[in-house]
């Protein structure tokens, strides 16, 4: 039977979920001090109280996840901003990042950028309001470095010293023996319309050598490069007011072949921030490789943005200055005015003779020398730019931000720079779930963080192409589970949109949707979203992951050395990526500059023993340079010192004649050969010809992983050590989300070492915060403990190994089960019990010796619950863009089914409450206990039994233990389910969302109640 509710209601979408996370709201009381007053504040909060009973229950504000908070530039109301801060705080989130984003706005005149742009008085007033309210709630506010990305300011033009530069080239072909007389070749690529000045840097001639040519590249003879700059006459500056290039040259080509006459022009790029305009006058991207570019940023902030109230409030509630990925856009060669001098000083030779092989046309390499030389020159050029970026931008901006009371959080990738080292410079390096290809992209940043001794690796989390208003929390959790195993321990969710903007449709302003008239990417979380009803469950779960993974120090098995520290490439390493992680090994990447950090010492045979405690270093050919076998002299010398101190080093490939990564300016390769001869002779060094030899080499060196599965598994792990306790995070995931087939359920043993004989394993429930001692495990002769891990796809668990009595353990001196033929042995209700779902006589072996026989009887048979009453709150557009009308429906169901298949709610989005009654006879041995398996639920849910609200449900494995909640006779079970908004938007806004597929909302099941019996083991 189906009954459509006649009553309707209307309420503001922003009011939905105001009560969500009320239990956590009280934790946000301001102390008047900035929670990020030092670099390891979050780590200190995580470690504080390690081992105490309530340690995991309610993580402090700095450990809570954050939202990327999207504003339509400065068109914001301070009162609304304060309200949104409260909504976010009440939901259990510890911070926000203010981002000016309006990809969804086609008509930018709505924004009135001249009066309400980024950095305008109204934007500053909004920042003040956000900081002030955040301080009251114990939260922090991060602020982007510029109006969008990359970093830009409105106080420069493309011609300014601080603006981003490029080197464009012009070319003329000159036949053998022919003479060219005329103007210096103008750039083949036109300058941006805003660029008014181009400066000639040099003119060269180079002979074409077809032996090196490819289908896309023109081959050149490196030995023929001739500098003709001294022969140039006329003006070397070409302005937009000039009719033509003023510089002229006359030159006769040798008779040995066709030559190219190349002219190099330095000019501004004219790049503006993403999806502008955001300011009036327009902002332009700064030079990321020079002091002038950084000064352009800091001078603007000091003069225009840092009002006295903003400075004062940053000291109280400021979190971090945030910079997005380095998306510098030029179809020519990225350049900076001092690069020639800096290159010569740093690399030991002149760049000009090699410049032709670096030239870019249409965004692609234009010319090539012999391939190896081209790779060497490119390496040296980008190493120079990398060093300039790290010195003049990352380090300088960090120093300035720190002086204000802000940390620097940044995504240090996007160019061919050493992002691994940049991660060591930053206070908080960050990756992203949308752009990163696999887990090794995160690991390329983890090594920098860990070698620097900082704590946090942040992640821009949960952005999906075409995912607006259809992103489920299950999808989010599946995405992020593996990222946490790869080192991520701070979640910045993408994102929370400001509520209003003139002309937007229900359910309010969203930063990324519509996008070019279609469904945008990411999700606009917040009270407009039905799942906000359950948001505290999600924030609590993520906070507990942060609590564990920000505690203490990491423990990593292997440091994989990279000659080139790129990130965001999807390129991993050999055996450890493909095979090692499936057996329990974990690794991260390090690059040469990290070897000069204070932590780069070997103690007890481990690198960075007080940090990641790497058990070995693995080196192979350069995966970004045709697997060239290269190593710098400095790195080889470091490795020699490390292995003499006891560190195992494994080299894969032919290391009989390695070379330095770049051009040898003289004598470097000879020095390298001498050092390598010593290195290869060391007893703790192994040189392997094939990756299949790696397991044997590891065993021969006496190296075993911190975590061992014994057989190939999709189980991922992360390991932290704090206060004498080892914490192990596990996720049933995979190296890359897009890899087929999907992950399957796992059920196998896992072995963990112990620091001390007598340490015991504890299970930490990330959803509830409950910590219990594991009831069944074995102890090996080597002191390790082995226990069973059974996880569904994406499901996670945390195990701590430490002294008896941790976390308020009342069973510290009790024996544990070694084996049992019951379903499980566990500590429950203060004692060790066996539990089974069928009658029988069960035998359990105990750690103290002997066996216990237990009889369980009278256990009812499992039953599938098919009949339900369903009450639906159907969310529909209200009278305004931010008002939601609620239509109520009541359905009586004889079988569970997805909402789109049910009358009256086929197009509904909202919240459904399912209710059924179960009659239980008995009693059975051990009392009334049962598992409630919800089957498929779409999207979030909560369970109530006999009026008692149960703890949060694991949304990737929704099986609930009803022990202690059931009684003899009738029992009422309620399941509240919340959905996305996609199904409603498909019909109320079809021009944008009509192409979306209907999502199978609701409690779909099958829902199965499986009673169990349990009895104590004396």
């Amino acid at each position: 039977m189906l009954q459509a509710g006649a009553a309707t209601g209307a309420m503001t979408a922003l009011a939905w979920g105001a009560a969500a996370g009320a239990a956590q709201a009280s934790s946000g009381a301001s102390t008047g001090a900035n929670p990020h007053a030092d670099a390891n504040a979050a780590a200190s909060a995580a470690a504080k109280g390690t081992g105490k009973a309530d340690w995991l229950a309610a993580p402090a504000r700095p450990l809570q996840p954050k939202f990327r908070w999207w504003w339509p530039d400065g068109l914001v109301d301070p009162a609304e901003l304060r309200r949104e801060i409260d909504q976010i705080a009440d939901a259990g989130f510890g911070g926000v990042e203010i981002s000016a984003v309006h990809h969804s706005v086609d008509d930018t005149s709505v924004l009135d950028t001249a009066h309400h742009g980024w950095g305008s008085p109204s934007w500053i007033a909004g920042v003040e309001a956000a900081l002030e309210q955040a301080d009251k709630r114990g939260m922090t506010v991060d602020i982007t470095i510029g109006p969008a990305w990359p970093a830009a300011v409105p106080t420069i033009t493309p011609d300014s010293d601080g603006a981003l530069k490029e080197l464009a080239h012009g070319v003329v072909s000159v036949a053998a023996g022919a003479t060219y007389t005329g103007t210096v070749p103008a750039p083949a690529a036109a300058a941006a319309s805003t660029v008014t000045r181009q400066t000639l840097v040099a003119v060269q001639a180079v002979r074409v050598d077809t032996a090196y040519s490819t289908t896309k590249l023109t081959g050149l003879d490196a030995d023929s490069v001739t500098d003709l700059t001294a022969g140039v006459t006329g003006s070397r500056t070409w302005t937009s007011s000039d009719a033509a290039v003023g510089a002229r040259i006359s030159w006769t080509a040798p008779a040995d072949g066709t030559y190219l006459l190349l002219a190099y022009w330095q000019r501004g790029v004219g790049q503006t921030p993403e999806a502008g305009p955001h300011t009036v006058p327009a902002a332009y991207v700064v030079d990321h490789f020079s002091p002038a570019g950084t000064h352009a940023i800091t001078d603007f902030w000091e003069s225009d943005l840092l009002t006295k109230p903003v400075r004062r409030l940053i000291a109280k509630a400021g979190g971090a200055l945030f910079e997005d990925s380095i998306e510098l856009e030029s179809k020519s060669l990225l350049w900076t005015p001092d690069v020639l001098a800096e290159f010569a000083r740093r690399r030991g030779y002149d760049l000009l003779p090699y410049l032709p092989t670096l030239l870019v046309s249409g965004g692609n390499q234009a010319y090539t020398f012999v391939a190896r030389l081209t790779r060497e020159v490119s390496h040296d050029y980008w190493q120079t730019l990398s060093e300039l970026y790290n010195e003049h931008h990352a380090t300088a901006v960090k120093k300035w931000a720190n002086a204000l009371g802000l940390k620097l959080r940044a995504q240090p990738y996007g160019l061919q720079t050493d992002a691994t080292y940049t991660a060591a410079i930053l206070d908080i390096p960050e990756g992203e779930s949308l752009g990163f290809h696999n887990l090794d992209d995160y690991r390329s940043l983890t090594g920098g963080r860990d070698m620097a001794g900082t704590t946090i690796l942040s992640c821009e989390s949960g952005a999906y192409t075409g995912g607006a208003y259809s992103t489920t929390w299950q999808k989010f959790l599946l995405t992020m589970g593996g990222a946490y195993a790869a080192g991520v321990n701070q979640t910045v969710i993408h994102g929370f949109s400001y509520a209003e903007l003139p002309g937007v449709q229900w359910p309010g302003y969203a930063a990324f949707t519509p996008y070019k008239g279609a469904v945008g990417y990411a999700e606009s979380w917040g009270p407009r979203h039905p799942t906000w009803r359950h948001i505290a469950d999600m924030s609590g779960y993520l906070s507990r992951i942060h609590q564990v993974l920000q505690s203490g120090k990491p423990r990593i098995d292997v440091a994989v050395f990279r000659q080139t520290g790129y990130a965001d490439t999807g390129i991993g390493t050999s055996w450890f990526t493909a095979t090692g992680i499936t057996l329990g090994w974990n690794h991260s990447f390090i690059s040469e500059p990290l070897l000069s950090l204070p932590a780069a010492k070997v103690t007890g045979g481990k690198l960075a023993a007080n940090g990641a405690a790497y058990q070995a270093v693995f080196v192979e050919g350069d995966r970004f340079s045709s697997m060239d076998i290269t190593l710098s002299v400095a790195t080889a010398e470091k490795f020699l010192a490390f292995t003499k101190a006891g560190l195992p080093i494994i080299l894969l490939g032919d290391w009989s004649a390695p070379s330095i990564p770049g051009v040898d300016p003289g004598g470097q390769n000879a020095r390298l050969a001498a050092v390598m001869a010593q290195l290869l002779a060391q007893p703790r060094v192994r040189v392997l010809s094939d990756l299949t030899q790696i397991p044997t080499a590891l065993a021969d060196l006496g190296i075993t992983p911190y975590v061992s599965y014994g057989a190939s598994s999709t189980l991922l792990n992360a390991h932290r050590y704090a206060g004498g306790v080892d914490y192990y995070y596990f996720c049933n995931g995979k190296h890359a989300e897009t890899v087929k087939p999907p992950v399957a359920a796992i059920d196998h043993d896992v072995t963990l070492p112990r620091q001390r004989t007598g340490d015991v394993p504890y299970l930490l429930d990330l959803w509830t915060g409950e910590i219990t001692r594991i009831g069944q495990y074995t102890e090996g002769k080597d002191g390790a403990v082995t226990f069973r891990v059974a996880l569904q796809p994406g499901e996670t668990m945390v195990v701590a190994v430490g002294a008896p009595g941790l976390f308020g353990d009342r069973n510290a001196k009790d024996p544990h089960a070694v084996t049992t033929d019951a379903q499980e042995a566990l500590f429950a209700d203060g004692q060790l019990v066996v539990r089974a779902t069928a009658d029988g006589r069960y035998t359990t072996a105990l750690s103290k010796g002997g066996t216990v026989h237990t009889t369980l009887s009278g256990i009812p048979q499992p039953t599938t619950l098919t009949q339900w009453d369903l009450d639906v709150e159907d969310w529909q557009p209200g009278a305004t863009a931010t008002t939601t009308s609620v239509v109520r429906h009541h359905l009586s169901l004889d079988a569970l089914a997805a909402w789109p298949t049910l009358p009256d709610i086929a197009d509904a989005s909202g919240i459904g409450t399912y209710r059924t009654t179960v009659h239980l006879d008995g009693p059975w041995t051990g009392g009334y206990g049962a598992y409630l398996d919800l089957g498929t639920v779409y999207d979030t849910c909560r369970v109530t039994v006999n009026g008692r609200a149960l703890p949060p449900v694991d949304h990737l494995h929704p099986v609930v233990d009803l022990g202690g909640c059931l009684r003899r006779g009738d029992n009422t079970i309620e399941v509240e389910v919340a959905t996305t908004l996609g199904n409603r938007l498909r019909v109320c806004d079809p021009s944008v969302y009509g192409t979306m597929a209907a999502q199978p909302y609701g409690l779909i099941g099958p829902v199965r109640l499986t009673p169990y019996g349990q009895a104590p083991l004396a």
Side-chain angles (χ1 to χ4, degrees), residues 623-939:
R623 287 185 167 265
F624 301 100
S625 184
S626 298
M627 295 302 292
D628 292 336
I629 300 297
T630 60
L631 213 59
S632 74
V633 175
T635 295
E637 290 172 339
K638 290 282 186 181
F639 285 166
L640 180 59
F642 289 165
T643 196
K644 283 183 176 181
L647 180 69
I649 297 177
I650 298 173
L651 300 104
L652 179 64
D654 182 1
W655 287 85
S656 60
S659 62
I660 66 169
V663 173
D664 184 356
Q668 290 294 298
N669 283 328
R671 287 182 58 196
L672 177 63
V675 177
M676 288 300 296
Q678 297 182 63
L679 178 66
L680 299 182
Q682 299 301 311
R684 302 290 284 166
V685 173
R686 299 292 184 274
V687 181
L688 311 179
S689 60
D690 188 88
L691 59 86
T692 60
Q693 299 170 341
I694 292 176
T696 301
L698 290 166
D700 180 50
L701 291 163
I703 304 170
T704 56
Y706 289 113
V707 180
S708 177
Y709 310 150
S712 181
S713 171
T714 52
L715 187 63
L716 304 166
N717 74 78
H719 178 193
R720 306 284 299 191
Y721 181 74
V725 184
D726 286 283
Y727 294 95
Y728 298 90
Y729 166 89
F730 296 104
C731 174
N732 181 18
K734 54 187 174 181
H735 176 61
E737 244 192 309
T738 55
V739 173
K740 305 294 183 181
V743 168
I746 60 170
D747 188 346
H748 60 72
D749 285 345
V750 169
T751 300
L752 305 177
R754 290 189 292 185
Q755 302 290 332
R756 299 165 296 273
T757 301
D759 281 1
V760 297
Y762 295 88
L763 182 64
L764 282 61
D765 191 322
L766 294 171
W767 288 98
T768 67
E770 182 181 5
I771 304 176
T772 55
R773 183 180 165 194
I774 292 177
Q776 181 180 342
Y777 57 94
T778 59
E779 299 172 290
K781 293 181 180 180
D782 59 356
V785 294
T786 299
F787 53 92
R788 173 190 169 204
V789 171
L791 295 174
Q792 294 298 308
E795 190 180 1
T796 62
M797 66 182 291
V798 171
V799 172
V801 180
L806 287 174
F807 311 113
D809 176 23
R810 293 179 293 169
N811 310 109
K813 298 182 179 180
D814 292 351
H816 63 271
V818 177
T819 62
T820 185
D821 54 4
Q823 261 91 353
E824 59 180 329
L826 67 158
F827 285 101
D829 303 323
Q831 57 189 335
L832 182 65
V833 303
V834 290
R835 182 178 291 179
T837 58
D839 293 350
R841 179 176 170 81
Y842 300 100
T843 301
T844 304
L846 299 178
S847 58
K848 66 179 181 180
T851 58
V852 176
H853 301 286
T854 306
T855 299
L856 298 176
S857 61
I859 303 172
Q861 293 295 308
T863 181
T864 300
L865 307 181
T866 58
Q867 294 187 322
W868 298 80
D869 286 328
L870 170 60
D871 292 306
V872 174
E873 300 173 6
D874 179 1
W875 288 28
Q876 300 184 15
T880 69
T882 58
T883 301
T884 294
S885 175
V886 176
V887 177
R888 303 184 184 277
H889 308 274
H890 178 79
L891 296 83
S892 294
L893 305 176
D894 293 325
L896 291 171
W899 289 12
T901 67
L902 298 173
D904 281 10
I905 61 170
D907 298 319
S909 293
I911 298 169
T913 301
Y914 293 78
R915 186 177 298 104
T916 192
T917 299
V918 179
H919 186 83
L920 296 174
D921 293 321
W924 60 83
T925 303
Y928 297 94
Y931 296 112
L932 180 68
D933 186 341
L934 299 178
T936 300
V937 185
Y938 211 105
D939 174 30

Side-chain angles (χ1 to χ4, degrees), residues 187-279:
S193 60
T194 50
V195 172
T196 65
R197 186 175 69 250
Q198 304 181 67
T199 301
L200 184 67
V201 173
V203 178
Q204 292 176 335
V206 58
R207 185 173 64 83
V208 175
D209 190 334
T210 57
Y212 305 140
S213 295
T214 69
T215 55
K216 295 182 178 179
L217 302 175
T218 300
L220 302 175
D221 176 13
D223 293 332
S224 71
V225 175
T226 304
D227 187 359
L228 307 177
T229 311
V232 175
T233 60
S235 175
R236 298 189 183 186
T237 300
W238 181 24
T239 67
S240 58
S241 60
D242 296 328
V245 175
R248 295 180 62 81
I249 192 167
S250 180
W251 177 76
T252 301
D256 58 351
T258 300
Y259 276 72
L260 300 182
L261 191 65
L262 296 168
Y264 306 117
W265 294 91
Q266 174 184 294
R267 66 193 187 191
V269 173
Q271 183 181 357
T272 57
E274 172 77 12
H278 297 276
T279 60

Side-chain angles (χ1 to χ4, degrees), residues 929-953:
Y931 296 112
L932 180 68
D933 186 341
L934 299 178
T936 300
V937 185
Y938 211 105
D939 174 30
T940 62
C941 65
R942 282 180 176 166
V943 176
T944 300
V945 177
N946 296 325
R948 175 180 171 183
L950 271 61
V953 177

Side-chain angles (χ1 to χ4, degrees), residues 517-538:
V519 182
Y521 61 94
E523 183 62 90
S524 279
W525 302 106
R528 71 185 69 188
H529 205 287
T531 60
W532 198 254
R533 180 77 62 92
H534 305 147
I535 191 64
D537 298 352
M538 301 302 162

